[in-house]
Amino acid sequence: MKKLSKQSFPSLRMRRLRSTDNIRRLVRETKLAPENLIQPIFLSDGKNKKEKISSMPDIFRLSIDHALKEIKKLTTVGIIAIALFPKIAASKKTLNAEEAYKPDGLVQTSIKKIKDKFPDLLVISDVALDPYTSHGQDGIIDKKGYILNDDTNNILVKQALSHAESGSDIIAPSDMMDGRIKLIRKELEKNQFYNTKILSYSAKYSSSYYGPFRDAIGSLKALGKSDKKTYQMDYSNRNEAIREIDLDLREGADLVMVKPAIPNLDIISDLKETFKVPILAYHVSGEYFMIKSAAKKNVFNERDLVIETLTSIKRAGASSIITYYAKEAAKWMN
Ligand code: PBG
């Protein structure tokens, strides 16, 4: 090391370990890698379709042929897991979401095609009814619009089994009904899907950050002015997240999720400290949109900002992150 000009005061200098790139790398506590990033994919019916999503710049709804091409690209940059979300035609949406568990449904057939071509890729499939209900809620409603927990669970179990039968690696209930993890686990065991994992969206807050996603899967219009506050968590609560995760783990979840990510870093950190289990975080559509749209105005370096954001989520305690930036960030890291 070079001798520097004379200074007096401290001999304990924190800046010593920041003084060169290599020393910073040597002591770095958190390192983000492509395998920590999970890319969500929006699926649509039909062939040769690649539709823009106005609320989500640079993200498309893909028919399965395009999705397979996109997945090829993802694997090339080191992505090992994807999460699937369907946009179902309005004509197939019903009060009781029958389309959700059809063996020849969009998600079920897509999982088969994806696993045929990419057997090692981890496919995460979302279990919830919002893409399939005419009212856009994640569950079945009564006359007053209240979401019926147990009736919804019966359908979620069928949906989960249909995903497992199609070859899904990780079933991800994002609906926030009580008791569904236990019922889904029981059904998977009964049908000998012993290694099918359950990723529970355990601490899922009722959040304005989901707006662009609802537009992407077409539930925004269906939902109208109603909200999801009777089942998704109140963002004012911290202790409640610990109870939710505790329950889901005891019911048989293998992995748990916190969502949205950046507004809830304290929750991720609490949960990691408390449970020592793999926590995933969902950097959701609104979080993506805010960065993407600002980046398009060149107010900051997109690449640096995204890597900083995702690294902070990992530092808080997330093992992996579902993010619409997965592909781009993986490319930047390569
Ligand atoms: C609902 C679901 C939502 C997301 C994934 N699954 C949001 C909602 O409650 O409407 C949000 C994902 C995102 O915003 O990126 N089952």
Side-chain angles (χ1 to χ4, degrees), residues 43-46 63-65 67-68 84 86 88 92 99-117 123 125 132 162-163 165-168:
L43 294 166
S44 65
D45 271 322
S63 53
I64 186 64
D65 48 328
L68 289 168
L84 300 177
I88 302 298
K92 288 187 179 164
E99 187 67 23
Y101 48 88
K102 290 214 172 124
D104 61 350
L106 175 58
V107 167
Q108 290 82 352
T109 54
S110 300
I111 296 173
K112 277 191 205 119
K113 288 179 188 160
I114 294 168
K115 289 300 292 185
D116 262 359
K117 267 207 147 160
V123 171
S125 58
Y132 306 97
S162 77
H163 288 187
E165 283 170 338
S166 309
S168 174

PDB file of all heavy atoms in Angstrom, residues 43-46 63-65 67-68 84 86 88 92 99-117 123 125 132 162-163 165-168:
ATOM      1  N   LEU A  43     -48.785 -15.274 -18.587  1.00  0.00           N
ATOM      2  CA  LEU A  43     -49.181 -16.150 -19.691  1.00  0.00           C
ATOM      3  C   LEU A  43     -50.530 -15.728 -20.252  1.00  0.00           C
ATOM      4  O   LEU A  43     -51.419 -15.330 -19.495  1.00  0.00           O
ATOM      5  CB  LEU A  43     -49.322 -17.582 -19.182  1.00  0.00           C
ATOM      6  CG  LEU A  43     -48.048 -18.272 -18.696  1.00  0.00           C
ATOM      7  CD1 LEU A  43     -48.417 -19.532 -17.923  1.00  0.00           C
ATOM      8  CD2 LEU A  43     -47.141 -18.608 -19.882  1.00  0.00           C
ATOM      9  N   SER A  44     -50.652 -15.845 -21.572  1.00  0.00           N
ATOM     10  CA  SER A  44     -51.974 -15.640 -22.159  1.00  0.00           C
ATOM     11  C   SER A  44     -52.291 -16.787 -23.105  1.00  0.00           C
ATOM     12  O   SER A  44     -51.402 -17.513 -23.529  1.00  0.00           O
ATOM     13  CB  SER A  44     -52.037 -14.301 -22.893  1.00  0.00           C
ATOM     14  OG  SER A  44     -51.165 -14.333 -23.994  1.00  0.00           O
ATOM     15  N   ASP A  45     -53.582 -16.943 -23.399  1.00  0.00           N
ATOM     16  CA  ASP A  45     -54.033 -18.002 -24.311  1.00  0.00           C
ATOM     17  C   ASP A  45     -53.521 -17.759 -25.730  1.00  0.00           C
ATOM     18  O   ASP A  45     -53.118 -16.657 -26.060  1.00  0.00           O
ATOM     19  CB  ASP A  45     -55.584 -17.963 -24.371  1.00  0.00           C
ATOM     20  CG  ASP A  45     -56.182 -18.843 -23.294  1.00  0.00           C
ATOM     21  OD1 ASP A  45     -55.611 -19.921 -23.039  1.00  0.00           O
ATOM     22  OD2 ASP A  45     -57.212 -18.446 -22.711  1.00  0.00           O
ATOM     23  N   GLY A  46     -53.619 -18.779 -26.553  1.00  0.00           N
ATOM     24  CA  GLY A  46     -53.370 -18.600 -27.977  1.00  0.00           C
ATOM     25  C   GLY A  46     -51.949 -18.868 -28.397  1.00  0.00           C
ATOM     26  O   GLY A  46     -51.166 -19.475 -27.651  1.00  0.00           O
ATOM     27  N   SER A  63     -47.952 -15.775 -25.053  1.00  0.00           N
ATOM     28  CA  SER A  63     -48.523 -17.097 -25.303  1.00  0.00           C
ATOM     29  C   SER A  63     -47.388 -18.097 -25.091  1.00  0.00           C
ATOM     30  O   SER A  63     -46.207 -17.729 -25.093  1.00  0.00           O
ATOM     31  CB  SER A  63     -49.111 -17.182 -26.700  1.00  0.00           C
ATOM     32  OG  SER A  63     -48.158 -16.796 -27.664  1.00  0.00           O
ATOM     33  N   ILE A  64     -47.748 -19.366 -24.911  1.00  0.00           N
ATOM     34  CA  ILE A  64     -46.763 -20.337 -24.441  1.00  0.00           C
ATOM     35  C   ILE A  64     -45.541 -20.467 -25.368  1.00  0.00           C
ATOM     36  O   ILE A  64     -44.412 -20.620 -24.897  1.00  0.00           O
ATOM     37  CB  ILE A  64     -47.410 -21.718 -24.138  1.00  0.00           C
ATOM     38  CG1 ILE A  64     -46.410 -22.681 -23.505  1.00  0.00           C
ATOM     39  CG2 ILE A  64     -48.039 -22.319 -25.359  1.00  0.00           C
ATOM     40  CD1 ILE A  64     -45.895 -22.283 -22.151  1.00  0.00           C
ATOM     41  N   ASP A  65     -45.745 -20.367 -26.698  1.00  0.00           N
ATOM     42  CA  ASP A  65     -44.597 -20.459 -27.614  1.00  0.00           C
ATOM     43  C   ASP A  65     -43.570 -19.358 -27.315  1.00  0.00           C
ATOM     44  O   ASP A  65     -42.369 -19.604 -27.252  1.00  0.00           O
ATOM     45  CB  ASP A  65     -45.063 -20.436 -29.072  1.00  0.00           C
ATOM     46  CG  ASP A  65     -46.055 -19.301 -29.350  1.00  0.00           C
ATOM     47  OD1 ASP A  65     -46.823 -18.930 -28.442  1.00  0.00           O
ATOM     48  OD2 ASP A  65     -46.063 -18.784 -30.475  1.00  0.00           O
ATOM     49  N   ALA A  67     -43.393 -17.738 -24.458  1.00  0.00           N
ATOM     50  CA  ALA A  67     -42.910 -17.939 -23.086  1.00  0.00           C
ATOM     51  C   ALA A  67     -41.727 -18.909 -23.088  1.00  0.00           C
ATOM     52  O   ALA A  67     -40.729 -18.691 -22.389  1.00  0.00           O
ATOM     53  CB  ALA A  67     -44.039 -18.453 -22.200  1.00  0.00           C
ATOM     54  N   LEU A  68     -41.820 -19.959 -23.896  1.00  0.00           N
ATOM     55  CA  LEU A  68     -40.734 -20.939 -23.931  1.00  0.00           C
ATOM     56  C   LEU A  68     -39.437 -20.296 -24.445  1.00  0.00           C
ATOM     57  O   LEU A  68     -38.346 -20.575 -23.937  1.00  0.00           O
ATOM     58  CB  LEU A  68     -41.115 -22.143 -24.808  1.00  0.00           C
ATOM     59  CG  LEU A  68     -42.207 -23.054 -24.193  1.00  0.00           C
ATOM     60  CD1 LEU A  68     -42.734 -24.037 -25.230  1.00  0.00           C
ATOM     61  CD2 LEU A  68     -41.705 -23.780 -22.947  1.00  0.00           C
ATOM     62  N   LEU A  84     -45.348 -18.328 -12.467  1.00  0.00           N
ATOM     63  CA  LEU A  84     -46.327 -18.167 -13.554  1.00  0.00           C
ATOM     64  C   LEU A  84     -47.609 -17.483 -13.092  1.00  0.00           C
ATOM     65  O   LEU A  84     -48.149 -17.812 -12.033  1.00  0.00           O
ATOM     66  CB  LEU A  84     -46.704 -19.540 -14.119  1.00  0.00           C
ATOM     67  CG  LEU A  84     -45.564 -20.371 -14.703  1.00  0.00           C
ATOM     68  CD1 LEU A  84     -46.096 -21.730 -15.142  1.00  0.00           C
ATOM     69  CD2 LEU A  84     -44.904 -19.642 -15.870  1.00  0.00           C
ATOM     70  N   PRO A  86     -51.393 -16.289 -14.949  1.00  0.00           N
ATOM     71  CA  PRO A  86     -52.176 -16.308 -16.184  1.00  0.00           C
ATOM     72  C   PRO A  86     -53.096 -15.106 -16.345  1.00  0.00           C
ATOM     73  O   PRO A  86     -53.582 -14.559 -15.356  1.00  0.00           O
ATOM     74  CB  PRO A  86     -53.040 -17.559 -15.988  1.00  0.00           C
ATOM     75  CG  PRO A  86     -53.308 -17.570 -14.515  1.00  0.00           C
ATOM     76  CD  PRO A  86     -52.093 -16.960 -13.843  1.00  0.00           C
ATOM     77  N   ILE A  88     -56.605 -14.805 -17.921  1.00  0.00           N
ATOM     78  CA  ILE A  88     -57.678 -15.645 -18.428  1.00  0.00           C
ATOM     79  C   ILE A  88     -58.694 -14.774 -19.171  1.00  0.00           C
ATOM     80  O   ILE A  88     -58.997 -13.662 -18.721  1.00  0.00           O
ATOM     81  CB  ILE A  88     -58.359 -16.360 -17.218  1.00  0.00           C
ATOM     82  CG1 ILE A  88     -57.329 -17.190 -16.438  1.00  0.00           C
ATOM     83  CG2 ILE A  88     -59.540 -17.210 -17.644  1.00  0.00           C
ATOM     84  CD1 ILE A  88     -56.683 -18.307 -17.207  1.00  0.00           C
ATOM     85  N   LYS A  92     -64.131 -16.750 -19.611  1.00  0.00           N
ATOM     86  CA  LYS A  92     -63.885 -17.948 -18.791  1.00  0.00           C
ATOM     87  C   LYS A  92     -63.944 -17.656 -17.286  1.00  0.00           C
ATOM     88  O   LYS A  92     -63.772 -18.546 -16.462  1.00  0.00           O
ATOM     89  CB  LYS A  92     -62.520 -18.542 -19.122  1.00  0.00           C
ATOM     90  CG  LYS A  92     -62.472 -19.211 -20.490  1.00  0.00           C
ATOM     91  CD  LYS A  92     -61.157 -19.923 -20.696  1.00  0.00           C
ATOM     92  CE  LYS A  92     -61.120 -20.600 -22.054  1.00  0.00           C
ATOM     93  NZ  LYS A  92     -59.758 -20.961 -22.444  1.00  0.00           N
ATOM     94  N   GLU A  99     -62.581 -22.505 -13.771  1.00  0.00           N
ATOM     95  CA  GLU A  99     -61.438 -22.612 -14.693  1.00  0.00           C
ATOM     96  C   GLU A  99     -60.118 -22.862 -13.946  1.00  0.00           C
ATOM     97  O   GLU A  99     -59.163 -23.383 -14.509  1.00  0.00           O
ATOM     98  CB  GLU A  99     -61.354 -21.311 -15.517  1.00  0.00           C
ATOM     99  CG  GLU A  99     -60.332 -21.293 -16.632  1.00  0.00           C
ATOM    100  CD  GLU A  99     -60.632 -22.252 -17.791  1.00  0.00           C
ATOM    101  OE1 GLU A  99     -61.809 -22.621 -17.980  1.00  0.00           O
ATOM    102  OE2 GLU A  99     -59.672 -22.640 -18.474  1.00  0.00           O
ATOM    103  N   ALA A 100     -60.095 -22.519 -12.670  1.00  0.00           N
ATOM    104  CA  ALA A 100     -58.835 -22.556 -11.908  1.00  0.00           C
ATOM    105  C   ALA A 100     -58.228 -23.944 -11.784  1.00  0.00           C
ATOM    106  O   ALA A 100     -57.010 -24.078 -11.656  1.00  0.00           O
ATOM    107  CB  ALA A 100     -59.058 -21.978 -10.511  1.00  0.00           C
ATOM    108  N   TYR A 101     -59.055 -24.989 -11.811  1.00  0.00           N
ATOM    109  CA  TYR A 101     -58.509 -26.338 -11.572  1.00  0.00           C
ATOM    110  C   TYR A 101     -58.711 -27.289 -12.744  1.00  0.00           C
ATOM    111  O   TYR A 101     -58.626 -28.499 -12.586  1.00  0.00           O
ATOM    112  CB  TYR A 101     -59.088 -26.924 -10.280  1.00  0.00           C
ATOM    113  CG  TYR A 101     -60.593 -26.813 -10.138  1.00  0.00           C
ATOM    114  CD1 TYR A 101     -61.432 -27.802 -10.638  1.00  0.00           C
ATOM    115  CD2 TYR A 101     -61.156 -25.715  -9.504  1.00  0.00           C
ATOM    116  CE1 TYR A 101     -62.807 -27.694 -10.515  1.00  0.00           C
ATOM    117  CE2 TYR A 101     -62.539 -25.596  -9.377  1.00  0.00           C
ATOM    118  CZ  TYR A 101     -63.363 -26.582  -9.882  1.00  0.00           C
ATOM    119  OH  TYR A 101     -64.722 -26.465  -9.767  1.00  0.00           O
ATOM    120  N   LYS A 102     -58.995 -26.747 -13.930  1.00  0.00           N
ATOM    121  CA  LYS A 102     -59.156 -27.616 -15.100  1.00  0.00           C
ATOM    122  C   LYS A 102     -57.803 -28.193 -15.511  1.00  0.00           C
ATOM    123  O   LYS A 102     -56.831 -27.463 -15.652  1.00  0.00           O
ATOM    124  CB  LYS A 102     -59.736 -26.807 -16.266  1.00  0.00           C
ATOM    125  CG  LYS A 102     -61.175 -26.408 -16.040  1.00  0.00           C
ATOM    126  CD  LYS A 102     -61.951 -26.390 -17.357  1.00  0.00           C
ATOM    127  CE  LYS A 102     -63.422 -26.192 -17.079  1.00  0.00           C
ATOM    128  NZ  LYS A 102     -63.971 -25.029 -17.787  1.00  0.00           N
ATOM    129  N   PRO A 103     -57.746 -29.504 -15.742  1.00  0.00           N
ATOM    130  CA  PRO A 103     -56.470 -30.108 -16.129  1.00  0.00           C
ATOM    131  C   PRO A 103     -55.938 -29.540 -17.456  1.00  0.00           C
ATOM    132  O   PRO A 103     -54.730 -29.518 -17.678  1.00  0.00           O
ATOM    133  CB  PRO A 103     -56.790 -31.602 -16.290  1.00  0.00           C
ATOM    134  CG  PRO A 103     -58.181 -31.798 -15.803  1.00  0.00           C
ATOM    135  CD  PRO A 103     -58.830 -30.478 -15.600  1.00  0.00           C
ATOM    136  N   ASP A 104     -56.855 -29.052 -18.307  1.00  0.00           N
ATOM    137  CA  ASP A 104     -56.376 -28.484 -19.576  1.00  0.00           C
ATOM    138  C   ASP A 104     -56.407 -26.953 -19.555  1.00  0.00           C
ATOM    139  O   ASP A 104     -56.469 -26.301 -20.584  1.00  0.00           O
ATOM    140  CB  ASP A 104     -57.200 -29.043 -20.739  1.00  0.00           C
ATOM    141  CG  ASP A 104     -58.690 -28.686 -20.597  1.00  0.00           C
ATOM    142  OD1 ASP A 104     -59.095 -28.191 -19.518  1.00  0.00           O
ATOM    143  OD2 ASP A 104     -59.438 -28.885 -21.563  1.00  0.00           O
ATOM    144  N   GLY A 105     -56.360 -26.380 -18.362  1.00  0.00           N
ATOM    145  CA  GLY A 105     -56.335 -24.921 -18.234  1.00  0.00           C
ATOM    146  C   GLY A 105     -55.001 -24.332 -18.708  1.00  0.00           C
ATOM    147  O   GLY A 105     -54.036 -25.063 -18.927  1.00  0.00           O
ATOM    148  N   LEU A 106     -54.977 -23.021 -18.847  1.00  0.00           N
ATOM    149  CA  LEU A 106     -53.772 -22.349 -19.365  1.00  0.00           C
ATOM    150  C   LEU A 106     -52.535 -22.635 -18.513  1.00  0.00           C
ATOM    151  O   LEU A 106     -51.470 -22.971 -19.034  1.00  0.00           O
ATOM    152  CB  LEU A 106     -54.043 -20.834 -19.429  1.00  0.00           C
ATOM    153  CG  LEU A 106     -52.883 -19.933 -19.830  1.00  0.00           C
ATOM    154  CD1 LEU A 106     -52.343 -20.305 -21.199  1.00  0.00           C
ATOM    155  CD2 LEU A 106     -53.320 -18.459 -19.824  1.00  0.00           C
ATOM    156  N   VAL A 107     -52.675 -22.508 -17.206  1.00  0.00           N
ATOM    157  CA  VAL A 107     -51.519 -22.729 -16.335  1.00  0.00           C
ATOM    158  C   VAL A 107     -51.085 -24.196 -16.369  1.00  0.00           C
ATOM    159  O   VAL A 107     -49.895 -24.512 -16.521  1.00  0.00           O
ATOM    160  CB  VAL A 107     -51.835 -22.298 -14.886  1.00  0.00           C
ATOM    161  CG1 VAL A 107     -50.788 -22.798 -13.907  1.00  0.00           C
ATOM    162  CG2 VAL A 107     -51.920 -20.784 -14.809  1.00  0.00           C
ATOM    163  N   GLN A 108     -52.045 -25.096 -16.250  1.00  0.00           N
ATOM    164  CA  GLN A 108     -51.731 -26.531 -16.195  1.00  0.00           C
ATOM    165  C   GLN A 108     -51.017 -26.983 -17.471  1.00  0.00           C
ATOM    166  O   GLN A 108     -49.986 -27.669 -17.396  1.00  0.00           O
ATOM    167  CB  GLN A 108     -53.023 -27.336 -15.985  1.00  0.00           C
ATOM    168  CG  GLN A 108     -53.649 -27.169 -14.589  1.00  0.00           C
ATOM    169  CD  GLN A 108     -54.507 -25.908 -14.440  1.00  0.00           C
ATOM    170  OE1 GLN A 108     -54.548 -25.049 -15.323  1.00  0.00           O
ATOM    171  NE2 GLN A 108     -55.186 -25.783 -13.321  1.00  0.00           N
ATOM    172  N   THR A 109     -51.538 -26.605 -18.628  1.00  0.00           N
ATOM    173  CA  THR A 109     -50.891 -27.045 -19.877  1.00  0.00           C
ATOM    174  C   THR A 109     -49.533 -26.361 -20.042  1.00  0.00           C
ATOM    175  O   THR A 109     -48.587 -26.967 -20.542  1.00  0.00           O
ATOM    176  CB  THR A 109     -51.778 -26.741 -21.107  1.00  0.00           C
ATOM    177  OG1 THR A 109     -52.114 -25.359 -21.079  1.00  0.00           O
ATOM    178  CG2 THR A 109     -53.045 -27.568 -21.091  1.00  0.00           C
ATOM    179  N   SER A 110     -49.437 -25.128 -19.605  1.00  0.00           N
ATOM    180  CA  SER A 110     -48.152 -24.419 -19.737  1.00  0.00           C
ATOM    181  C   SER A 110     -47.082 -25.056 -18.853  1.00  0.00           C
ATOM    182  O   SER A 110     -45.931 -25.202 -19.270  1.00  0.00           O
ATOM    183  CB  SER A 110     -48.312 -22.948 -19.347  1.00  0.00           C
ATOM    184  OG  SER A 110     -49.259 -22.324 -20.171  1.00  0.00           O
ATOM    185  N   ILE A 111     -47.457 -25.432 -17.635  1.00  0.00           N
ATOM    186  CA  ILE A 111     -46.470 -26.070 -16.742  1.00  0.00           C
ATOM    187  C   ILE A 111     -45.915 -27.320 -17.426  1.00  0.00           C
ATOM    188  O   ILE A 111     -44.701 -27.534 -17.463  1.00  0.00           O
ATOM    189  CB  ILE A 111     -47.100 -26.462 -15.379  1.00  0.00           C
ATOM    190  CG1 ILE A 111     -47.561 -25.228 -14.617  1.00  0.00           C
ATOM    191  CG2 ILE A 111     -46.097 -27.260 -14.536  1.00  0.00           C
ATOM    192  CD1 ILE A 111     -48.351 -25.543 -13.344  1.00  0.00           C
ATOM    193  N   LYS A 112     -46.809 -28.118 -17.992  1.00  0.00           N
ATOM    194  CA  LYS A 112     -46.360 -29.353 -18.664  1.00  0.00           C
ATOM    195  C   LYS A 112     -45.369 -29.050 -19.762  1.00  0.00           C
ATOM    196  O   LYS A 112     -44.308 -29.678 -19.849  1.00  0.00           O
ATOM    197  CB  LYS A 112     -47.568 -30.088 -19.278  1.00  0.00           C
ATOM    198  CG  LYS A 112     -48.298 -30.946 -18.266  1.00  0.00           C
ATOM    199  CD  LYS A 112     -49.311 -31.872 -18.958  1.00  0.00           C
ATOM    200  CE  LYS A 112     -50.401 -32.223 -17.965  1.00  0.00           C
ATOM    201  NZ  LYS A 112     -51.738 -31.801 -18.362  1.00  0.00           N
ATOM    202  N   LYS A 113     -45.704 -28.085 -20.604  1.00  0.00           N
ATOM    203  CA  LYS A 113     -44.816 -27.758 -21.734  1.00  0.00           C
ATOM    204  C   LYS A 113     -43.477 -27.223 -21.240  1.00  0.00           C
ATOM    205  O   LYS A 113     -42.428 -27.536 -21.791  1.00  0.00           O
ATOM    206  CB  LYS A 113     -45.490 -26.751 -22.659  1.00  0.00           C
ATOM    207  CG  LYS A 113     -46.618 -27.388 -23.463  1.00  0.00           C
ATOM    208  CD  LYS A 113     -47.306 -26.389 -24.372  1.00  0.00           C
ATOM    209  CE  LYS A 113     -48.541 -27.058 -24.976  1.00  0.00           C
ATOM    210  NZ  LYS A 113     -49.515 -26.079 -25.480  1.00  0.00           N
ATOM    211  N   ILE A 114     -43.524 -26.407 -20.204  1.00  0.00           N
ATOM    212  CA  ILE A 114     -42.276 -25.823 -19.688  1.00  0.00           C
ATOM    213  C   ILE A 114     -41.398 -26.916 -19.071  1.00  0.00           C
ATOM    214  O   ILE A 114     -40.205 -27.007 -19.348  1.00  0.00           O
ATOM    215  CB  ILE A 114     -42.588 -24.709 -18.655  1.00  0.00           C
ATOM    216  CG1 ILE A 114     -43.277 -23.536 -19.350  1.00  0.00           C
ATOM    217  CG2 ILE A 114     -41.300 -24.251 -17.960  1.00  0.00           C
ATOM    218  CD1 ILE A 114     -43.889 -22.506 -18.411  1.00  0.00           C
ATOM    219  N   LYS A 115     -42.011 -27.780 -18.253  1.00  0.00           N
ATOM    220  CA  LYS A 115     -41.213 -28.829 -17.591  1.00  0.00           C
ATOM    221  C   LYS A 115     -40.686 -29.863 -18.595  1.00  0.00           C
ATOM    222  O   LYS A 115     -39.630 -30.444 -18.396  1.00  0.00           O
ATOM    223  CB  LYS A 115     -42.033 -29.521 -16.488  1.00  0.00           C
ATOM    224  CG  LYS A 115     -42.291 -28.665 -15.254  1.00  0.00           C
ATOM    225  CD  LYS A 115     -41.033 -28.195 -14.527  1.00  0.00           C
ATOM    226  CE  LYS A 115     -40.260 -29.311 -13.863  1.00  0.00           C
ATOM    227  NZ  LYS A 115     -39.095 -28.791 -13.060  1.00  0.00           N
ATOM    228  N   ASP A 116     -41.439 -30.085 -19.699  1.00  0.00           N
ATOM    229  CA  ASP A 116     -40.950 -30.970 -20.768  1.00  0.00           C
ATOM    230  C   ASP A 116     -39.642 -30.465 -21.339  1.00  0.00           C
ATOM    231  O   ASP A 116     -38.707 -31.217 -21.566  1.00  0.00           O
ATOM    232  CB  ASP A 116     -41.967 -30.975 -21.924  1.00  0.00           C
ATOM    233  CG  ASP A 116     -42.873 -32.175 -21.829  1.00  0.00           C
ATOM    234  OD1 ASP A 116     -42.678 -32.975 -20.887  1.00  0.00           O
ATOM    235  OD2 ASP A 116     -43.779 -32.295 -22.675  1.00  0.00           O
ATOM    236  N   LYS A 117     -39.598 -29.157 -21.609  1.00  0.00           N
ATOM    237  CA  LYS A 117     -38.422 -28.577 -22.254  1.00  0.00           C
ATOM    238  C   LYS A 117     -37.315 -28.240 -21.271  1.00  0.00           C
ATOM    239  O   LYS A 117     -36.144 -28.271 -21.617  1.00  0.00           O
ATOM    240  CB  LYS A 117     -38.827 -27.278 -22.978  1.00  0.00           C
ATOM    241  CG  LYS A 117     -39.182 -27.486 -24.430  1.00  0.00           C
ATOM    242  CD  LYS A 117     -38.924 -26.212 -25.197  1.00  0.00           C
ATOM    243  CE  LYS A 117     -38.488 -26.495 -26.611  1.00  0.00           C
ATOM    244  NZ  LYS A 117     -38.679 -25.325 -27.486  1.00  0.00           N
ATOM    245  N   VAL A 123     -40.384 -24.442 -11.390  1.00  0.00           N
ATOM    246  CA  VAL A 123     -41.598 -23.726 -11.754  1.00  0.00           C
ATOM    247  C   VAL A 123     -42.430 -23.487 -10.493  1.00  0.00           C
ATOM    248  O   VAL A 123     -42.770 -24.419  -9.768  1.00  0.00           O
ATOM    249  CB  VAL A 123     -42.419 -24.507 -12.800  1.00  0.00           C
ATOM    250  CG1 VAL A 123     -43.782 -23.865 -13.009  1.00  0.00           C
ATOM    251  CG2 VAL A 123     -41.650 -24.582 -14.115  1.00  0.00           C
ATOM    252  N   SER A 125     -45.969 -22.081  -9.177  1.00  0.00           N
ATOM    253  CA  SER A 125     -47.298 -21.751  -9.707  1.00  0.00           C
ATOM    254  C   SER A 125     -48.175 -21.182  -8.607  1.00  0.00           C
ATOM    255  O   SER A 125     -48.236 -21.694  -7.496  1.00  0.00           O
ATOM    256  CB  SER A 125     -47.935 -22.981 -10.347  1.00  0.00           C
ATOM    257  OG  SER A 125     -48.039 -24.034  -9.416  1.00  0.00           O
ATOM    258  N   TYR A 132     -59.402 -15.922 -12.077  1.00  0.00           N
ATOM    259  CA  TYR A 132     -60.502 -16.759 -12.569  1.00  0.00           C
ATOM    260  C   TYR A 132     -61.891 -16.316 -12.131  1.00  0.00           C
ATOM    261  O   TYR A 132     -62.881 -16.832 -12.604  1.00  0.00           O
ATOM    262  CB  TYR A 132     -60.297 -18.203 -12.076  1.00  0.00           C
ATOM    263  CG  TYR A 132     -58.939 -18.764 -12.432  1.00  0.00           C
ATOM    264  CD1 TYR A 132     -57.886 -18.743 -11.513  1.00  0.00           C
ATOM    265  CD2 TYR A 132     -58.713 -19.302 -13.696  1.00  0.00           C
ATOM    266  CE1 TYR A 132     -56.641 -19.260 -11.842  1.00  0.00           C
ATOM    267  CE2 TYR A 132     -57.470 -19.820 -14.033  1.00  0.00           C
ATOM    268  CZ  TYR A 132     -56.435 -19.795 -13.102  1.00  0.00           C
ATOM    269  OH  TYR A 132     -55.214 -20.299 -13.431  1.00  0.00           O
ATOM    270  N   SER A 162     -54.140 -29.820  -9.156  1.00  0.00           N
ATOM    271  CA  SER A 162     -54.023 -29.783 -10.626  1.00  0.00           C
ATOM    272  C   SER A 162     -52.658 -29.249 -11.050  1.00  0.00           C
ATOM    273  O   SER A 162     -52.090 -29.685 -12.043  1.00  0.00           O
ATOM    274  CB  SER A 162     -55.163 -28.964 -11.242  1.00  0.00           C
ATOM    275  OG  SER A 162     -54.933 -27.574 -11.088  1.00  0.00           O
ATOM    276  N   HIS A 163     -52.105 -28.329 -10.277  1.00  0.00           N
ATOM    277  CA  HIS A 163     -50.752 -27.828 -10.589  1.00  0.00           C
ATOM    278  C   HIS A 163     -49.711 -28.911 -10.335  1.00  0.00           C
ATOM    279  O   HIS A 163     -48.801 -29.102 -11.139  1.00  0.00           O
ATOM    280  CB  HIS A 163     -50.419 -26.609  -9.724  1.00  0.00           C
ATOM    281  CG  HIS A 163     -51.171 -25.376 -10.102  1.00  0.00           C
ATOM    282  ND1 HIS A 163     -50.912 -24.147  -9.536  1.00  0.00           N
ATOM    283  CD2 HIS A 163     -52.178 -25.152 -10.978  1.00  0.00           C
ATOM    284  CE1 HIS A 163     -51.734 -23.240 -10.051  1.00  0.00           C
ATOM    285  NE2 HIS A 163     -52.510 -23.822 -10.921  1.00  0.00           N
ATOM    286  N   GLU A 165     -50.126 -32.103 -10.384  1.00  0.00           N
ATOM    287  CA  GLU A 165     -50.266 -33.137 -11.415  1.00  0.00           C
ATOM    288  C   GLU A 165     -49.652 -32.698 -12.738  1.00  0.00           C
ATOM    289  O   GLU A 165     -49.173 -33.517 -13.509  1.00  0.00           O
ATOM    290  CB  GLU A 165     -51.753 -33.503 -11.598  1.00  0.00           C
ATOM    291  CG  GLU A 165     -52.235 -34.399 -10.469  1.00  0.00           C
ATOM    292  CD  GLU A 165     -53.741 -34.620 -10.450  1.00  0.00           C
ATOM    293  OE1 GLU A 165     -54.474 -33.779 -11.023  1.00  0.00           O
ATOM    294  OE2 GLU A 165     -54.168 -35.614  -9.832  1.00  0.00           O
ATOM    295  N   SER A 166     -49.646 -31.403 -12.990  1.00  0.00           N
ATOM    296  CA  SER A 166     -49.033 -30.901 -14.226  1.00  0.00           C
ATOM    297  C   SER A 166     -47.516 -30.858 -14.135  1.00  0.00           C
ATOM    298  O   SER A 166     -46.839 -30.670 -15.137  1.00  0.00           O
ATOM    299  CB  SER A 166     -49.543 -29.499 -14.542  1.00  0.00           C
ATOM    300  OG  SER A 166     -50.933 -29.467 -14.519  1.00  0.00           O
ATOM    301  N   GLY A 167     -46.994 -30.963 -12.922  1.00  0.00           N
ATOM    302  CA  GLY A 167     -45.543 -30.988 -12.766  1.00  0.00           C
ATOM    303  C   GLY A 167     -44.930 -29.780 -12.087  1.00  0.00           C
ATOM    304  O   GLY A 167     -43.707 -29.607 -12.075  1.00  0.00           O
ATOM    305  N   SER A 168     -45.773 -28.942 -11.484  1.00  0.00           N
ATOM    306  CA  SER A 168     -45.239 -27.766 -10.787  1.00  0.00           C
ATOM    307  C   SER A 168     -44.311 -28.199  -9.642  1.00  0.00           C
ATOM    308  O   SER A 168     -44.581 -29.163  -8.942  1.00  0.00           O
ATOM    309  CB  SER A 168     -46.405 -26.951 -10.213  1.00  0.00           C
ATOM    310  OG  SER A 168     -45.914 -25.899  -9.419  1.00  0.00           O
TER     311      SER A 168
END
